[in-house]
Amino acid sequence: MNAENFTEFLQSTAHLYHLPYVELESLTLEFPYSQNLQLLLFAKSWLEQHPNAEANLHKAALYSTDRRALYRFVQLLSAQLLENEPSFQINEDFLE
């Protein structure tokens, strides 16, 4: 991630699928007080259903200046996660 890509990641969470979780985690360790990096790390962990998602949410809430905006962002991520969830349908041909 560089400065040019950073705004793209903030504007659209769809770009987060191309970014490794470990890279975001190392950036948050390098810049621990960056609210936007904490938010991106939470979004990445939420979308990937990472075990640290809950802890990342708490940390993002701690650094957030507007928790209502964070709440709306979490609702948006939840809706996006439900959209991308694969749905399976078993046809009668498969059962025979």
Side-chain angles (χ1 to χ4, degrees):
M1 179 188 319
N2 55 24
E4 297 165 358
N5 295 10
F6 189 66
T7 55
E8 291 176 10
F9 288 116
L10 287 172
Q11 291 172 353
S12 174
T13 57
H15 296 288
L16 285 175
Y17 288 109
H18 304 292
L19 187 66
Y21 177 82
V22 176
E23 184 177 346
L24 266 175
E25 194 172 36
S26 67
L27 282 171
T28 56
L29 290 174
E30 189 176 343
F31 304 103
Y33 299 111
S34 172
Q35 173 188 354
N36 292 328
L37 281 175
Q38 297 294 340
L39 185 64
L40 285 177
L41 181 66
F42 161 68
K44 179 68 173 177
S45 62
W46 186 266
L47 291 174
E48 290 186 351
Q49 298 177 347
H50 197 272
N52 292 342
E54 187 82 19
N56 291 335
L57 173 61
H58 291 294
K59 201 178 254 189
L62 181 69
Y63 289 106
S64 177
T65 56
D66 186 5
R67 292 201 178 160
R68 287 183 186 162
L70 179 65
Y71 178 77
R72 287 190 300 268
F73 184 72
V74 169
Q75 296 300 320
L76 190 124
L77 281 178
S78 297
Q80 183 179 356
L81 190 61
L82 288 175
E83 276 181 13
N84 293 338
E85 188 173 288
S87 60
F88 298 101
Q89 183 176 14
I90 299 176
N91 293 336
E92 290 181 23
D93 296 334
F94 181 73
L95 295 174
E96 291 178 358

